[in-house]
Amino acid sequence: MATQLRTKALALLGAGAGLLALASLAAPPAHAAARPNVILIMADDQGYGDLACHGNPVIQTPHMDGLHAQSARLTDFHVAPMCSPTRGQLLTGRDAMKTGCTAVCRGRSMPRADIPTLADYFVRAGYATGHFGKWHLGDSYPFRPQDRGFQETLHHRAWGITSLADYWGNTYFSPMLNRNGVDTRYEGYCTDIFFDAAMSWMAKRHQRDEPFFVYLPTNTPHVPNVCADRYSQPYEGEHAGKPLPPKFYGMIANLDENLGRLEAFLDRQRLRDNTLLIYLSDNGTQSERAMTLFNAGMRDRKTSVFEGGHRVPCFVRWPDGGVVQGADIDALTQVQDLLPTIAELARLDTRGADLDGQSLAPLLRGADAEPPARKLVIQYGFSCGPWDSAVVLWNRWRLVGPRELYNVDADPHQDRNVAAEHPEIVREMREHYEAWYAESRPLYDTPRWIRVGAEGENPMRLYAQDWVGDYCDNRGGLMQATGVGYWDIEVERAGAYEFELRRWPFEADLPLSAGVGPAGDEGRRPIAAASLRVGGVAETLETLPDDTHVVFRGTLDVGKQRLQTRFLDAAQQTLCSAMYVRVERLSDRGSAEITPAHDAEAVLGTTQP
């Protein structure tokens, strides 16, 4: 079966979203009497070579291998080389440049709020929707999972546990997690917790005879490399003279065990056969040791536009839906294809949707046709200038930047640039990229607006990783406290607003100038004043040594504005922006005390990020 399907693909793959809209409303095939439940599992930083079934000589992944044996396997499946762009593409069916979500912070981890998500389509179709695990697509309204179609969510903030926006002092064991907007302490290991919560939620939906969609993106095996010793001990030492990554492989071993627990749950609940189960990863391996040990013949890893950065595993199983089992499908595919594919299989109404992906449903059901001449572009990053971190894919050709051409059939490790030998191929791929970029760049330049003063989300919080400005999304940035940025906000209701500026997390409640660590000096900054500028408010207030935060009040009009903050030293020099801001609409205009004018200059008048 596998060798037969290696030559099969779908000629209609490039026919456009119009065909998908018709297919999604068509009568189901005879072998799919009921709409499926859908479980979408995304591992964080597990590369194509980090599975035994892909040839890894060390790691043991029996449950992933079992799913691989029962699934249609997309063997030329591509994502972004970094997590947020991939997640945005997955949930919107659109290229990262077109959603504005092209990186992991600096305001570039939030897909535009006007684009429907996969969860939105499921809700419209009458499904219950649940999210358990990583999000990393914005932590302020309207970009949180509960704002994007998920009726139930259990997650950490930002890129992971220990990130800047995460709960202060959190670890992978017994973490504080956010359930439906409320921080709640859970016992156990993070991956176990997410699987437990997902299975409990699914059991309740099943008891009520409700179809469900579960999005289960784990935060493992992303750094920090943390797991119980019983998972990592088998991987201590070396293999063939190369050092092993014990904790990284241990996190995958734990994830594999949880996949086995999920499979047992589906069998017990008699859900397996009519559940569409998809397993994939968000980018190439994060571990240099793992890449060096075994990378399935590919070059490089996470963040690279070479093959090892963006080609990942993708397994699809649906026994009742006619999806082929134990078959490799080598058509060129991408993560944007999963939304239209799931929509067709689950018969979701996507009419009018502007999608870049194409449905793979006929391919998954064994359609016998020649592959189309499909060209794809992967581009991510902060500047997204022409050819900045970009690669064009066409059949087995890879144009890395405008001048490096590789044939991954003849040269899977991409060692030999053959651009000079195939100028016509280079020219055609460049022309495709230039047309794609001309269409995508204006959408990339469209701001994404965090909304304040909304009836259902007041007060609300802002975090440094979502500002536009300097890179600042992890403990290193928090400790250095030199980053400067601003938030693009949209005021939903006019009135009096309060702004609470903090340098340390809310729950830490540390003085602005305090440090942490054994000596109390890590992260110490000589903060003597704070400035705020937003709308018509432009004020600077002095601070006292024991102040944990600074509060400003002012009136704002409805509309889109820039919220800028600064912490200053005694000489009125900028140290950093506020890492955390609490915004609350207090009342209608004029009915709350406003911050009085101050003798200090509103420093933000001359200092822009």
Side-chain angles (χ1 to χ4, degrees):
M1 177 72 79
T3 54
Q4 292 172 353
L5 286 182
R6 284 185 181 277
T7 59
K8 294 185 177 182
L10 177 64
L12 293 176
L13 205 67
L19 292 174
L20 164 64
L22 296 175
S24 68
L25 298 177
H31 46 61
R35 290 186 302 174
N37 298 305
V38 179
I39 302 174
L40 183 55
I41 303 172
M42 176 179 279
D44 194 0
D45 287 2
Q46 180 184 22
Y48 191 93
D50 297 329
L51 298 93
C53 55
H54 285 169
N56 189 296
V58 174
I59 196 168
Q60 298 298 305
T61 51
H63 301 293
M64 295 177 191
D65 299 350
L67 180 61
H68 173 273
Q70 299 161 2
S71 298
R73 290 96 60 148
L74 301 175
T75 60
D76 196 13
F77 180 80
H78 297 265
V79 296
M82 186 177 279
C83 59
S84 288
T86 292
R87 293 161 199 275
Q89 291 168 163
L90 172 69
L91 292 179
T92 66
R94 305 214 64 192
D95 295 341
M97 285 275 288
K98 297 177 183 177
T99 71
C101 175
T102 58
V104 295
C105 63
R106 297 172 67 180
R108 282 295 168 191
S109 64
M110 301 177 291
R112 293 199 328 270
D114 62 305
I115 303 175
T117 71
L118 180 56
D120 290 323
Y121 293 119
F122 271 112
V123 169
R124 295 173 193 174
Y127 276 70
T129 57
H131 162 251
F132 307 90
K134 182 167 174 171
W135 179 242
H136 206 186
L137 294 174
D139 289 309
S140 300
Y141 178 78
F143 298 101
R144 306 164 304 165
Q146 60 265 46
D147 307 322
R148 305 305 299 260
F150 288 101
Q151 299 159 337
E152 179 80 11
T153 177
L154 179 67
H155 68 283
H156 54 74
R157 286 182 285 274
W159 59 257
I161 294 173
T162 73
S163 66
L164 179 145
D166 189 40
Y167 196 87
W168 177 250
N170 235 5
T171 72
Y172 278 24
F173 291 95
S174 300
M176 187 74 78
L177 299 171
N178 190 275
R179 183 184 179 196
N180 302 326
V182 179
D183 285 337
T184 306
R185 179 74 65 186
Y186 284 79
E187 295 302 318
Y189 182 67
C190 53
T191 308
D192 302 338
I193 293 167
F194 292 134
F195 272 83
D196 283 342
M199 289 187 286
S200 176
W201 184 84
M202 285 186 281
K204 292 176 182 177
R205 306 287 79 72
H206 184 46
Q207 289 169 3
R208 299 173 186 175
D209 200 27
E210 296 175 343
F212 57 76
F213 165 53
V214 166
Y215 177 42
L216 212 173
T218 64
N219 60 305
T220 56
H222 193 289
V223 295
N225 296 321
V226 176
C227 66
D229 290 344
R230 69 185 183 91
Y231 296 107
S232 58
Q233 282 175 347
Y235 303 109
E236 298 284 353
E238 298 182 343
H239 174 79
K242 298 175 181 178
L244 298 178
K247 290 296 183 182
F248 175 69
Y249 278 175
M251 290 190 291
I252 295 174
N254 170 266
L255 176 55
D256 184 80
E257 180 180 273
N258 275 289
L259 180 60
R261 292 201 305 124
L262 174 64
E263 294 279 41
F265 164 82
L266 294 175
D267 284 337
R268 286 196 310 272
Q269 297 284 330
R270 298 184 180 180
L271 286 167
R272 179 185 180 279
D273 289 347
N274 199 38
T275 294
L276 172 61
L277 176 62
I278 301 175
Y279 185 94
L280 71 155
S281 182
D282 63 344
N283 46 244
T285 187
Q286 58 98 335
S287 170
E288 185 171 2
R289 285 187 179 185
M291 178 194 70
T292 303
L293 179 71
F294 181 79
N295 204 29
M298 295 184 291
R299 177 174 171 179
D300 232 330
R301 58 187 178 109
K302 176 181 178 177
T303 73
S304 173
V305 290
F306 288 101
E307 204 80 345
H310 51 81
R311 180 175 157 230
V312 300
C314 184
F315 309 149
V316 183
R317 186 185 73 194
W318 183 20
D320 280 359
V323 171
V324 296
Q325 299 186 42
D328 289 341
I329 299 172
D330 71 349
L332 180 62
T333 54
Q334 62 180 345
V335 68
Q336 292 92 310
D337 296 331
L338 290 183
L339 187 153
T341 300
I342 293 168
E344 181 170 349
L345 293 174
R347 305 198 307 281
L348 309 179
D349 185 354
T350 59
R351 287 176 296 183
D354 189 1
L355 302 175
D356 296 307
Q358 303 296 330
S359 176
L360 309 176
L363 261 181
L364 296 173
R365 286 174 168 153
D368 191 359
E370 290 301 314
R374 191 182 194 195
K375 297 185 184 73
L376 306 177
V377 177
I378 297 170
Q379 183 161 9
Y380 82 105
F382 296 109
S383 76
C384 287
W387 291 105
D388 185 9
S389 296
V391 57
V392 183
L393 295 71
W394 181 26
N395 294 326
R396 306 303 287 168
W397 297 106
R398 304 291 185 262
L399 186 62
V400 179
R403 298 179 182 84
E404 294 184 40
L405 181 69
Y406 302 92
N407 184 315
V408 292
D409 268 345
D411 177 24
H413 198 257
Q414 296 174 274
D415 296 318
R416 183 167 177 264
N417 179 7
V418 294
E421 300 168 33
H422 300 280
E424 71 289 351
I425 298 292
V426 172
R427 180 174 61 254
E428 187 166 348
M429 296 178 80
R430 279 181 181 169
E431 289 173 354
H432 176 82
Y433 172 81
E434 289 162 4
W436 175 89
Y437 189 83
E439 176 188 0
S440 303
R441 181 70 201 205
L443 296 173
Y444 168 86
D445 289 330
T446 303
R448 277 86 6 81
W449 302 95
I450 294 173
R451 298 177 193 161
V452 302
E455 188 72 39
E457 185 55 26
N458 185 52
M460 56 96 69
R461 293 178 176 183
L462 303 172
Y463 301 90
Q465 87 280 349
D466 288 336
W467 72 28
V468 180
D470 294 331
Y471 192 105
C472 191
D473 75 337
N474 53 39
R475 182 176 172 86
L478 177 61
M479 292 301 108
Q480 292 172 7
T482 58
V484 173
Y486 64 87
W487 290 272
D488 285 322
I489 66 168
E490 182 173 3
V491 179
E492 290 206 355
R493 295 185 297 163
Y497 281 79
E498 180 175 276
F499 301 88
E500 177 184 303
L501 279 56
R502 288 183 179 263
R503 177 260 183 280
W504 293 105
F506 301 94
E507 59 275 6
D509 207 34
L510 292 168
L512 295 168
S513 298
V516 296
D521 58 356
E522 184 182 5
R524 184 185 295 277
R525 301 288 277 151
I527 294 173
S531 276
L532 171 76
R533 179 184 289 276
V534 58
V537 181
E539 297 292 346
T540 296
L541 295 178
E542 295 176 350
T543 64
L544 298 174
D546 292 334
D547 287 346
T548 60
H549 57 279
V550 183
V551 174
F552 295 84
R553 288 184 175 182
T555 57
L556 298 181
D557 293 325
V558 170
K560 296 173 178 176
Q561 305 180 33
R562 178 177 291 185
L563 172 60
Q564 302 173 76
T565 66
R566 295 288 190 279
F567 285 130
L568 313 169
D569 63 17
Q572 295 282 288
Q573 297 300 306
T574 294
L575 298 171
C576 61
S577 290
M579 303 287 170
Y580 310 86
V581 177
R582 179 182 177 273
V583 183
E584 182 176 6
R585 181 184 179 276
L586 300 174
S587 65
D588 294 333
R589 179 182 298 276
S591 58
E593 181 182 353
I594 305 304
T595 302
H598 193 276
D599 290 339
E601 178 188 0
V603 175
L604 286 160
T606 57
T607 307
Q608 298 290 335

